Amino acid sequence: KELEWYRLKTLMPHYEERDEIVAKIPNFWKIVLSLHDDFANYVRAADFKYIDAIQFLVVKWQSPRDFDITIGFQAVDQELPAQTVKKHFYHDGDDMKSQPVELKHNLPPRKRHNRFFDWFQWQGLDDKSEFPNGDDLARLITDEIYPLCVKFYTEAQRDVADEDSDDESSEPELL
């Protein structure tokens, strides 16, 4: 635990610098999140238009087992107003918990169930009506997506470049 906390305290200033830089890259979080295979397991296809509206995602640790995930959204039509939402996570023994936070949106209740919106209400109560595996999504963000976001973005850009070169090389040559 002490080593993990030392690692996080050492990296946090670098993450803050990186956050300022990636904030200037158009569609950075859209690319990182929409192309991350594991993240897609937690999000329905219909939610990706809201995922695409994420302008920034920041993790701040108070300790390795106590952290905030802050997400900034740009507006999506009349469904989601521009807003910043901060969700706090902590451990109670071995179990991760969180307080629900309000994500303002204009979707009718029948269109909200088991959607990405529900994760903001997740509390870790083992209630069947909660977002499934909300703790696993929080861990995925804090352990993989946030720390390695530049790697995922770079890989996505390389994949696009590879596809472009494959398209060019697949054209028949004239004799």
Side-chain angles (χ1 to χ4, degrees), residues 65-69 87-100 119-127 130 134-136 138-139:
R65 296 168 48 96
D66 184 15
F67 55 88
D68 297 320
I69 298 175
K87 186 153 178 66
H88 180 74
F89 295 86
Y90 60 95
H91 280 76
D92 181 11
D94 289 336
D95 298 325
M96 185 183 292
K97 304 286 184 189
S98 180
Q99 295 301 313
W119 180 70
F120 293 94
Q121 295 299 310
W122 181 85
Q123 298 178 66
L125 302 175
D126 290 327
D127 184 345
E130 279 196 317
D135 53 342
D136 292 338
R139 280 188 201 96

